[in-house]
Amino acid sequence: MGKREELVGIAHSRRLLHGMVQRGQIVLACAEGESHLAIAKRLGISHATVGRWGRRYHDHGIEGLQDEQGTSRPRTHGAPQPVAQVLNTALQSRPPHATHGSVLLTLVQRTGISRSTVHRWFHLLNLQPHRHRHQKFLSFLQQIDGSVPKSLEVHLSIDNDCTHQHAKVKR
């Protein structure tokens, strides 16, 4: 099998990882004369990425398209202590009129850990500190109940599971 056939196989593979398929598509498009900017736009990547994989293929062939091990910046706050500090701060203090975004910003300011890192930890641990509590939601329901005539039925769609599952709200 020639190099072109191998690249076509990689570029159209349904078994390889997406990154490898995309690299095959990049190199194949470069070989067909498509500009780096056009490839980048079509694939939704930067033109620098197109250039990098083109150079890697030129220098190392198909093997150059493999993932590099350890090329990303190591995580700086993966140790248990900073994670515990962020969690304790998030769960033990409540800023007035807190929203999810303001809690993140407060944690970033207090701990010096990046917003993206704090957000990633919240996502990994499924934390949503200081989101709407059942009391606020209950107040909302009572307001609707008081302003809608009793002869009408009101149907609500609720997406905050922990709020509407509270026993007082279910009544």
Side-chain angles (χ1 to χ4, degrees):
M1 177 185 294
K3 288 182 181 181
R4 179 169 170 63
E5 290 81 17
E6 192 172 1
L7 277 175
V8 169
I10 291 170
H12 296 120
S13 176
R14 293 185 181 265
R15 294 183 181 178
L16 293 173
L17 294 174
H18 172 74
M20 185 66 171
V21 171
Q22 188 175 62
R23 291 176 218 133
Q25 292 169 346
I26 291 168
V27 173
L28 196 57
C30 287
E32 293 171 350
E34 191 173 350
S35 75
H36 286 195
L37 288 175
I39 296 167
K41 186 174 182 179
R42 182 170 51 83
L43 296 177
I45 56 177
S46 72
H47 70 281
T49 299
V50 174
R52 177 176 58 242
W53 291 112
R55 282 188 305 279
R56 292 269 310 267
Y57 179 78
H58 181 267
D59 295 343
H60 306 287
I62 297 290
E63 293 77 27
L65 301 181
Q66 299 294 325
D67 277 330
E68 293 178 298
Q69 295 298 315
T71 58
S72 63
R73 181 176 65 104
R75 291 194 175 155
T76 55
H77 298 293
Q81 182 137 9
V83 175
Q85 177 189 7
V86 167
L87 294 178
N88 285 334
T89 304
L91 298 174
Q92 293 178 4
S93 63
R94 179 170 187 188
H97 311 293
T99 64
H100 190 65
S102 68
V103 169
L104 283 175
L105 184 59
T106 301
L107 289 170
V108 167
Q109 291 169 344
R110 286 184 185 174
T111 63
I113 297 172
S114 76
R115 181 181 176 99
S116 61
T117 299
V118 172
H119 186 268
R120 185 176 68 245
W121 291 345
F122 276 23
H123 181 75
L124 287 171
L125 299 170
N126 198 24
L127 287 177
Q128 299 177 352
H130 316 305
R131 287 278 176 106
H132 297 287
R133 300 283 190 231
H134 78 277
Q135 296 94 341
K136 234 181 183 177
F137 188 66
L138 192 56
S139 170
F140 168 72
L141 291 177
Q142 290 166 345
Q143 181 182 1
I144 290 174
D145 195 39
S147 61
V148 175
K150 298 289 182 197
S151 60
L152 296 177
E153 286 187 17
V154 177
H155 297 271
L156 298 174
S157 294
I158 304 169
D159 68 352
N160 190 338
D161 191 50
C162 63
T163 298
H164 78 274
Q165 290 298 326
H166 194 278
K168 288 184 180 177
V169 174
K170 283 185 169 184
R171 282 193 286 144

